[in-house]
Amino acid sequence: MTDKTLPDLPRIWLPYTQMKNAAPPLVAQRTEGTTIFLEDGRALVDGIASWWTACHGYNHPHIRARMTDQLGVMPHVMLGGLVHEPVQALSDRLVALLPGDLDHCFYTDSGSVAVEVAMKMAIQYWINRGVTGRTKLLSFRDGYHGDTLATMSVCDPEEGMHSLFAGVFPEQVIADLPRDEASLASLDTLLSGKRDQIAAIIVEPLVQGAGGMIFHPPEVLSRLRALADKHNVLLILDEIFTGFGRTGTMFACEQASIVPDIITLSKALTGGTIALAATVARRHVFEAFLSDSPGAALMHGPTFMANALACTAACASLELFEREPRLDQIAALSAMLETGLEPCRALPGVRDVRVLGAIGVVELEAIEDLSRLKAALVDQGVWIRPYRNIVYLTPAFTITPGALVRLMHAIYEVLRDGAFRKPV
Ligand SMILES: *Cc1c(COP(=O)(O)O)cnc(C)c1O
């Protein structure tokens, strides 16, 4: 029962938000291409594609048409004991696109759960093979793998709130991402000591996204693959952010010519339309679950797994990668980000400017007033969401040069005006 004498509090609990006196969120009414139209009549150029998902822009007619057809036929049917054409088609497509023998697709509804499934797969892989004690994951500082309890345990200790939740979730092995011979050697030593406790290494390839858009070269990944092989642990690549073109290749792992044992995908999988995620395993991982003992099966099955409408959207999105010159567009976009963001480097308070594929980052010394900076960007008519100490762009691959210039100009203007500083 509600007490009508209490003051009204917001009914919608917003993500990552202190709800006490939170600025009221803007109301989105409709989207088209790379524009978000607000209820109050304003239109914002979208620089981040709704948390990196809407890679073909909003309301792409091809995805819409395919989804509309599927909605009329069968939006959903349970996957227990049944499969359907959209999930078969999507699995065929993913297996064909992914490198090596990443041939076995397990579907969930969100990235975090896809990572949870990857963690369960890796731990049970060893149990099923009769190897005991390998219950931990090795992950890296500044990493981000999701918000559920188990995935928090493999996130950056600070951002994953490891001290607040101490004792709640399992303690993992967390290391610095190795960037040189010395740090590779210490990771090697760490693995020598702890390999009997470790089921898998998990890493975001090429870019630690939510941790601050921190890049590393492909060699880091090939060295991690070699270390995983040397110490006989599995390698999980979390390509939830990097998958589907964002770093310039369809998958980031292609740039290192490595094949992980397990890969997780979500974000741009359905072109930003509807929730879907996949955890894809190599043959040897899948085979470890084949047994006459029922207890060896993977015990996981989200109610809405492989939702037919979502699988259709994902197929339609992958059809667009085939039909339209996406990777060329990403290369062109990358070059424009390089030249267009470069002038920011000279601005006071800017520490670094970097670009990888369709990711452009301006790193500041510090963002003193995040709310002020966000508001200043909206005043410029753009939707850009700075966090930590970065202002970044991850636009739709289909963005027009004009819209991209508007985004980059807006960043330059607000940083030049010092909108990230506390007002004096
Ligand atoms: C966004 C993200 C996740 C979590 O996905 P959700 O769908 O938000 O649960 C996990 N890993 C990476 C690398 C991500 O970028």
Side-chain angles (χ1 to χ4, degrees), residues 76-84 87 300-307:
H76 180 70
V77 68
M78 64 188 280
L79 203 72
L82 297 169
V83 292
H84 45 79
V87 72
H300 206 102
T303 306
F304 282 99
M305 76 185 285
N307 172 267

Side-chain angles (χ1 to χ4, degrees), residues 282-358:
R282 284 175 69 176
R283 186 186 175 94
H284 62 102
V285 175
F286 186 73
E287 278 179 346
F289 289 79
L290 304 179
S291 167
D292 293 325
S293 137
L298 179 65
M299 297 308 284
H300 206 102
T303 306
F304 282 99
M305 76 185 285
N307 172 267
L309 195 55
C311 290
T312 301
C315 285
S317 174
L318 294 176
E319 284 154 14
L320 288 175
F321 275 97
E322 242 169 47
R323 290 179 192 182
E324 300 184 3
R326 282 294 176 273
L327 295 184
D328 296 339
Q329 287 170 312
I330 295 164
L333 186 52
S334 197
M336 285 184 63
L337 285 168
E338 294 257 9
T339 41
L341 290 177
E342 192 53 33
C344 293
R345 198 184 291 278
L347 292 172
V350 171
R351 184 190 281 168
D352 187 31
V353 175
R354 54 181 179 268
V355 172
L356 176 68

